[in-house]
Amino acid sequence: MRHLIPSYIRVPVMFLAIVGLVEYFIESGDQPAFMEQPVILLFLLLVLLVLLAIEGIVGSMDNILYQSLDEEAKARYDAKKAAPSKLAAWISNTYKKLVGSKPIEEESEIILDHNYDGIKELDNNLPPWWVYSFYLTIIFGVVYMIRYHVLNADGQFTEYEIEYAEANKAIEEYKKNAKNLVDANTVEVLTEASDLNAGKAIYEGKCVVCHRNDGGGGIGPNLTDEYWILGGGIKNVFRTISEGGRDGKGMVSWKKEGLTPLEMAQVASYVLEFQGTVPGDGAKKAEGEIWVDESATETESDAIDENTEEESMEDTVKTEEATSVVSND
């Protein structure tokens, strides 16, 4: 096998195979392993030198052994080396069978009688590879027809919709287990006891000094009333905690102070628990403006409009029925 593949092909192939194995088994992130860890580059260079050294040593040994042979042995060795290998012969014969062409010596058997300006035509059969491929397409067509037009299997569009739904489900499950991916646009109120307890612990450790234990406010605003300086609701509260309050006189950005998105979502959800509660004596007066959840208002408005349309349709039907009764009378 070594004599079949020249060294200028054998060495690069072996070296690239070793590089591929190194990249596969060593975690290096987005960068190649030899760039992430320079010691790997040193190792690969050493491997390359070893491969080149092995080729040089083996070649020298072959030359020494060849020179030690007598003339008759050298002739036998050269003849054997020049003879085509069994693998090459098998590949050649297989190629000829797949092509299905006749040798030039036998073309007289398949030549047609007619010619065009001295150009003659051979009646070659179709190549076997082409014929077998055609048979395979027929078999595939029959299987496809039975599967999708007789047994009514799911088509491409149905499979796409199923995979799309499964992907969305997987994304939702991932989001549930990866709450640190939330931001001010995707955050939702957390209602689980574990999240609220974690939010309470964060609030008592970082927020009580400005907002009091009961949310009544001190240095910071009152959290129990319906007035908000930078907007209420989970998204606004999360954004305020994350980015900080008003410039120069608001609270710091807790994103910069080390709170993770999950922790900010937990404490924001806990802060909203103060809404509607009654703080103790000394609570701070309301600041800001009354905040109304516009999305909830729009939903209620849409529901009212739908009810009005249904009532209007019912009145129209009743009127038409009454008119019909009168005309029959």
Side-chain angles (χ1 to χ4, degrees), residues 4 27 42 44 51 63 70-71 77 93 99 108 120 123 133 140 151 181 206 215 219 224 235 289 293 320:
L4 297 177
E27 293 290 340
L42 182 62
L44 293 176
L51 291 175
N63 186 49
D70 56 25
E71 295 301 324
Y77 179 83
N93 292 332
V99 172
S108 59
K120 298 182 179 181
D123 188 19
S133 299
F140 175 83
L151 301 178
L181 295 177
K206 300 181 181 297
I219 299 175
T224 63
K235 297 184 185 301
E289 299 177 352
D293 189 350
E320 291 176 352

Side-chain angles (χ1 to χ4, degrees), residues 11-23:
V11 171
V13 169
M14 294 179 64
F15 178 71
L16 291 176
I18 294 172
V19 172
L21 290 174
V22 169
E23 290 291 338

Side-chain angles (χ1 to χ4, degrees), residues 15-304:
F15 178 71
L16 291 176
I18 294 172
V19 172
L21 290 174
V22 169
E23 290 291 338
Y24 180 79
F25 287 105
I26 297 179
E27 293 290 340
S28 58
D30 297 333
Q31 291 185 334
F34 65 86
M35 293 182 63
E36 185 71 19
Q37 302 181 33
V39 67
I40 294 177
L41 179 60
L42 182 62
F43 167 76
L44 293 176
L45 291 176
L46 180 61
V47 168
L48 181 59
L49 291 175
V50 170
L51 291 175
L52 293 174
I54 291 174
E55 289 294 327
I57 293 171
V58 173
S60 299
M61 291 180 65
D62 283 345
N63 186 49
I64 293 172
L65 291 174
Y66 180 79
Q67 296 300 328
S68 65
L69 299 175
D70 56 25
E71 295 301 324
E72 184 179 352
K74 286 182 180 180
R76 289 197 305 270
Y77 179 83
D78 292 337
K80 186 176 181 180
K81 190 174 182 181
S85 66
K86 293 182 180 180
L87 177 61
W90 178 83
I91 293 174
S92 178
N93 292 332
T94 303
Y95 174 77
K96 290 178 180 178
K97 290 180 181 179
L98 289 176
V99 172
S101 61
K102 286 184 174 294
I104 296 177
E105 295 80 9
E106 301 178 9
E107 284 186 353
S108 59
E109 300 176 5
I110 58 174
I111 194 168
L112 298 176
D113 294 336
H114 57 273
N115 65 77
Y116 304 92
D117 297 331
I119 300 174
K120 298 182 179 181
E121 182 181 0
L122 297 177
D123 188 19
N124 276 313
N125 294 324
L126 289 171
W129 68 266
W130 193 97
V131 176
Y132 297 146
S133 299
F134 181 66
Y135 291 155
L136 287 175
T137 59
I138 295 174
I139 296 172
F140 175 83
V142 172
V143 174
Y144 185 91
M145 182 185 67
I146 294 174
R147 176 174 173 80
Y148 292 102
H149 297 281
V150 177
L151 301 178
N152 295 322
D154 293 335
Q156 292 180 348
F157 292 105
T158 305
E159 290 179 351
Y160 169 77
E161 292 173 355
I162 293 174
E163 291 180 2
Y164 186 79
E166 291 176 350
N168 282 335
K169 184 177 179 181
I171 290 172
E172 293 301 324
E173 290 295 327
Y174 178 74
K175 287 182 177 179
K176 290 180 181 178
N177 299 323
K179 295 179 180 178
N180 268 323
L181 295 177
V182 298
D183 55 24
N185 297 316
T186 60
V187 66
E188 296 180 357
V189 177
L190 303 178
T191 57
E192 295 182 5
S194 58
D195 290 321
L196 293 176
N197 289 334
K200 180 180 180 181
I202 297 170
Y203 180 87
E204 291 177 346
K206 300 181 181 297
C207 310
V208 166
V209 65
C210 294
H211 297 281
R212 294 198 343 180
N213 194 48
D214 57 5
I219 299 175
N222 190 329
L223 302 176
T224 63
D225 55 45
E226 56 186 353
Y227 289 83
W228 295 88
I229 298 174
L230 297 176
I234 186 64
K235 297 184 185 301
N236 289 319
V237 174
F238 181 95
R239 183 180 293 105
T240 303
I241 296 171
S242 174
E243 306 301 327
R246 294 166 293 175
D247 293 338
K249 53 183 176 180
M251 71 176 181
V252 298
S253 168
W254 286 105
K255 176 178 67 175
K256 298 178 180 179
E257 295 296 322
L259 284 185
T260 65
L262 173 58
E263 291 173 333
M264 289 187 287
Q266 290 170 335
V267 70
S269 300
Y270 178 74
V271 164
L272 293 179
E273 294 288 307
F274 287 120
Q275 289 287 283
T277 62
V278 180
D281 295 337
K284 198 172 185 179
K285 294 182 179 180
E287 297 178 274
E289 299 177 352
I290 295 178
W291 182 80
V292 179
D293 189 350
E294 295 180 357
S295 60
T297 304
E298 291 176 358
T299 304
E300 293 176 358
S301 176
D302 293 340
I304 293 172

